[in-house]
Amino acid sequence: MNILYGVPGEGLGHATRSKVVIGHLLKQGHQVCVVSSSRAYHMLAAAFPGRVHEIRGFHLAYKGLAVSKARTAVLTLRTAPEDLRTNFAKYRELLCDFEPELIISDFESFSYLFAKMRRLPIVSIDNMQIISRAKLDVTVPKSERGNYNLAKSIVRAKLPHSRHYFVTTFFDLPLEKDDTTLVPPIIRPEILAAKPSTGQHVLVYQSATTQQNLVALLQQLPDQEFRVYGFNKEEDHGNVQLRAFSEAGFIADLASARAVVTNGGFSLISEAVYLRKPICAIPIPAQFEQWLNAAEVEQKGYGRHFAAITADNLRAFLYGLAGFETALAGYQQNGNQVLFAHLDEALKEIGAEHLTGEMQPQEASWGGE
């Protein structure tokens, strides 16, 4: 089957996960063409030479550690005209060079628009859809309700009327909508191959490097060893080691860590859960999806959820490691086999409909569900 796969460029988590699925599709004999932007484009182009097309993507703007809705809106409006010209030129190029029969989107809009224009079936594979397609089992505080309602509206409008939604998640929730399947998180091969151990260090991942007091804060716990990624520096500060980015080094430090301190990003939390590492999650403000992941970490007993990194919060988290380890010991996941089995079955069904001419045209609606 000819498949167009859309991957957003904001952050590398989408690219890392999509790389796993694209590799599986190629092994199954499918022809795959990929559209992406920014850093994700470069990662995927290196992994799949000749298959990846660069488009213009949507980017978040930050004010301090929080997502700035106003700055993001201004950035989007300023770049939209040129982005549209670039993307529609790519659309015309794809029309000439590749005839897809199916679209798979990891929360990416261009591939969805392409599918609507061609009335092609769409399969969604991402973690964001859980916000609108499942019933939450955590109480959303008043301070987060605005972010929750905004996130829910965005998710509903992103890929409406898709053929099926595969929602990756490390926590199970009751579904509220049809055509939806919850599957375990997509784990990259390097993590699947890692052999977990319990060392002396705590891995700290800081994606928003504007928190310049982090080293001084961690030094308030001199009896703990911290290995910090995110500043892309190699520096020794006593009990705090800053590490330049290295995929192999990061995975080795993650696999041997006694615990993980991170934001609410889905990819690292999922990998930490898979490796059964206790998690201290401090979500970036104004990102509800991160808040939800952090809240579920605490709900499941896998770690703690705090609004800020403080010495007292870290001490409280480290004090409870034994209980978190017990809860994580009960987590089970057979690699990526559950998603692959469900996806293969869905593609087989869609392919059979295509061959017999029974495929139902996709609705042309552009609004939410």
Side-chain angles (χ1 to χ4, degrees):
M1 179 177 289
N2 288 349
I3 299 172
L4 176 64
Y5 205 117
V7 184
E10 184 71 25
L12 290 179
H14 294 278
T16 300
R17 299 191 297 267
S18 296
K19 180 180 174 183
V20 174
V21 181
I22 293 166
H24 171 75
L25 293 172
L26 292 173
K27 287 180 181 177
Q28 297 301 109
H30 300 288
Q31 293 300 314
V32 184
C33 178
V34 184
V35 290
S36 190
S37 60
S38 191
R39 292 190 298 160
Y41 162 75
H42 293 289
M43 171 190 281
L44 294 170
F48 306 107
R51 295 184 180 276
V52 185
H53 297 261
E54 186 173 17
I55 57 174
R56 297 290 183 89
F58 170 79
H59 301 284
L60 297 175
Y62 290 86
K63 182 178 182 180
L65 293 176
V67 173
S68 171
K69 298 170 187 175
R71 290 184 181 182
T72 296
V74 170
L75 177 64
T76 300
L77 290 172
R78 188 173 67 240
T79 60
E82 180 60 28
D83 291 351
L84 287 173
R85 282 194 292 271
T86 299
N87 289 353
F88 276 97
K90 188 59 61 178
Y91 170 74
R92 289 192 296 270
E93 178 184 324
L94 289 172
L95 279 177
C96 297
D97 297 342
F98 189 75
E99 287 292 338
E101 303 160 83
L102 168 74
I103 308 300
I104 297 179
S105 176
D106 184 344
F107 211 65
E108 193 279 319
S109 297
F110 172 78
S111 54
Y112 174 81
L113 297 177
F114 187 102
K116 287 300 180 181
M117 290 177 179
R118 299 298 302 275
R119 293 184 174 271
L120 295 170
I122 306 160
V123 171
S124 168
I125 304 177
D126 67 64
N127 62 292
M128 297 291 291
Q129 293 291 341
I130 202 164
I131 294 173
S132 70
R133 307 192 73 80
K135 181 177 176 58
L136 302 188
D137 63 352
V138 292
T139 300
V140 179
K142 185 176 181 180
S143 60
E144 285 294 329
R145 288 175 192 164
N147 294 327
Y148 172 47
N149 291 331
L150 176 62
K152 196 169 186 178
S153 297
I154 291 172
V155 171
R156 280 178 171 173
K158 189 74 171 182
L159 299 170
H161 308 297
S162 293
R163 171 65 178 266
H164 202 87
Y165 298 85
F166 293 107
V167 183
T168 57
T169 178
F170 63 90
F171 51 93
D172 289 332
L173 295 178
L175 293 173
E176 293 188 317
K177 296 187 178 180
D178 297 331
D179 302 321
T180 306
T181 304
L182 299 184
V183 296
I186 299 168
I187 305 297
R188 50 183 163 155
E190 295 83 359
I191 296 296
L192 294 177
K195 299 188 182 304
S197 61
T198 304
Q200 295 300 311
H201 66 279
V202 175
L203 177 74
V204 180
Y205 176 69
Q206 179 69 28
S207 61
T209 54
T210 50
Q211 185 165 342
Q212 299 300 329
N213 67 333
L214 182 62
V215 171
L217 188 154
L218 296 176
Q219 287 177 327
Q220 295 180 42
L221 286 76
D223 57 334
Q224 303 291 334
E225 177 188 349
F226 298 98
R227 298 181 187 175
V228 181
Y229 286 83
F231 295 91
N232 203 25
K233 298 178 181 178
E234 286 284 346
E235 293 181 1
D236 186 337
H237 297 272
N239 68 314
V240 181
Q241 307 292 318
L242 300 187
R243 296 293 180 94
F245 178 75
S246 159
E247 184 175 23
F250 181 85
I251 291 173
D253 282 343
L254 173 60
S256 59
R258 59 194 292 252
V260 173
V261 177
T262 183
N263 53 39
F266 182 77
S267 293
L268 180 52
I269 287 180
S270 296
E271 292 180 348
V273 170
Y274 179 79
L275 295 172
R276 297 180 176 84
K277 303 295 180 180
I279 303 154
C280 180
I282 302 93
I284 294 174
Q287 286 201 36
F288 180 79
E289 183 256 342
Q290 289 212 1
W291 181 91
L292 177 61
N293 293 334
E296 287 291 348
V297 163
E298 186 156 304
Q299 173 91 341
K300 299 291 289 183
Y302 297 161
R304 293 296 301 273
H305 167 203
F306 296 112
I309 302 177
T310 68
D312 286 343
N313 286 346
L314 288 176
R315 290 189 186 98
F317 163 65
L318 293 170
Y319 182 79
L321 288 188
F324 307 144
E325 290 167 353
T326 299
L328 285 160
Y331 180 81
Q332 298 293 329
Q333 178 178 345
N334 183 20
N336 302 307
Q337 296 310 306
V338 172
L339 170 61
F340 290 167
H342 283 295
L343 179 59
D344 290 346
E345 184 62 28
L347 297 188
K348 182 179 178 181
E349 180 180 316
I350 294 171
E353 292 176 2
H354 181 79
L355 289 174
T356 60
E358 296 177 356
M359 185 177 293
Q360 296 296 316
Q362 294 291 291
E363 296 183 45
S365 170
W366 303 89
E369 292 176 291

